[in-house]
Amino acid sequence: MDVPVSAWASKLFTDEKTARLVRDGIGQALVDMQANARSSHTEADVTSTQVHGVARYRGSYERLSSRLASIPGAELVKPNGFQFNLVRVGRGLLFPFCFSKQDTNVQAAKIQNVWSVIRELFALAPASQQPDLFGDLSFDPNTVELRPKLAALPEDTRLVLVPFACNAAGLLKPYWGVAALADENGRLEWIIDPEPLPVPNAPSVRTPVIPHQVVGQTGFDEGEEPLVVLAPRPTAVRKLDDRS
């Protein structure tokens, strides 16, 4: 069933066609992320879900950027102090994050760690409409100084959140929407209610990229011994040694 693209998305991502490409690309990227994370967990053959968590975290950014980079007008943005690329299309800058490992209400989603990069990203979001409710903990985007990578973006850039619930068993609920950072504890105030993202039934076929490995390299104590060239010392040198 074809799901219409919301007006806010069409406006932020240039037009309805581009917004649809972005929305559907996010869904496919998250399905691919989960498939890769589950595969990593299975191959590791361990009881802990840490392997899945690491692959899921990295994959949420890497799969998203690789999937959306080919959309006309897409730009990869790597904030100062952040190790991954974010994707900007039109006026929308996408930020994916896992808000729960259970099937919970996305309205209660929080940012787990409000560190420097998060503060800068939310300077590109609307200001909270109820700052007085949070007292000294309220977040004011006007007090944040952007470092060069984000400061170079057009002033009308708007942060678009992509929260998703996910665990080792499956991708539960992915959404997108616009929210203000209400306080320093990571509480969100949704300005545009999070909308469910349509997702495909299967991951796309990908060929894993394995970094180049040096084959057959020996340890420092396993190589061949160097050949030492021996030569007789000249008579004049030996006589000098005898006098010393």
Side-chain angles (χ1 to χ4, degrees):
M1 183 178 67
D2 183 40
V3 180
V5 178
S6 297
W8 69 266
S10 296
K11 186 176 180 180
L12 274 181
F13 297 105
T14 305
D15 53 45
E16 182 180 356
K17 180 181 178 181
T18 305
R20 186 180 295 275
L21 290 174
V22 173
R23 185 196 65 182
D24 295 348
I26 295 172
Q28 185 67 69
L30 293 179
V31 169
D32 292 347
M33 169 211 71
Q34 172 64 2
N36 292 341
R38 289 192 67 178
S39 177
S40 298
H41 176 69
T42 301
E43 290 296 323
D45 193 22
V46 293
T47 56
S48 170
T49 59
Q50 284 184 327
V51 174
H52 175 274
V54 171
R56 183 213 71 220
Y57 175 72
R58 298 191 66 90
S60 64
Y61 299 107
E62 293 178 358
R63 298 286 73 74
L64 199 68
S65 61
S66 63
R67 171 63 59 176
L68 302 184
S70 60
I71 292 177
E75 174 189 2
L76 298 183
V77 179
K78 189 174 183 181
N80 296 87
F82 199 56
Q83 60 178 318
F84 302 109
N85 286 314
L86 302 180
V87 184
R88 179 180 179 269
V89 182
R91 297 194 297 116
L93 180 67
L94 296 162
F95 179 66
F97 68 100
C98 181
F99 73 91
S100 178
K101 294 181 180 180
Q102 301 176 352
D103 186 0
T104 55
N105 188 346
V106 68
Q107 291 284 350
K110 293 180 61 177
I111 301 296
Q112 296 301 317
N113 182 13
V114 182
W115 59 298
S116 58
V117 172
I118 297 298
R119 291 174 58 84
E120 289 185 54
L121 288 175
F122 275 94
L124 305 176
S128 173
Q129 301 301 304
Q130 300 174 318
D132 293 338
L133 293 180
F134 307 103
D136 294 338
L137 291 176
S138 61
F139 174 76
D140 183 0
N142 295 318
T143 64
V144 178
E145 182 177 353
L146 298 180
R147 285 173 287 183
K149 295 294 180 63
L150 294 182
L153 295 177
E155 292 184 2
D156 61 353
T157 299
R158 177 65 76 214
L159 184 68
V160 178
L161 302 183
V162 183
F164 59 91
C166 181
N167 58 40
L171 176 65
L172 302 176
K173 287 184 177 180
Y175 301 84
W176 68 347
V178 175
L181 183 62
D183 63 32
E184 298 285 353
N185 289 329
R187 188 179 287 105
L188 297 174
E189 179 185 327
W190 291 99
I191 308 301
I192 297 175
D193 284 338
E195 299 178 359
L197 286 168
V199 293
N201 294 323
S204 59
V205 177
R206 293 183 62 254
T207 302
V209 178
I210 302 175
H212 175 68
Q213 304 291 309
V214 179
V215 179
Q217 183 176 357
T218 57
F220 75 94
D221 59 345
E222 297 175 349
E224 296 182 2
E225 294 186 4
L227 179 64
V228 179
V229 179
L230 301 178
R233 298 171 69 198
T235 302
V237 174
R238 285 189 283 109
K239 287 182 177 180
L240 287 174
D241 288 344
D242 291 340
R243 295 174 183 174
S244 59

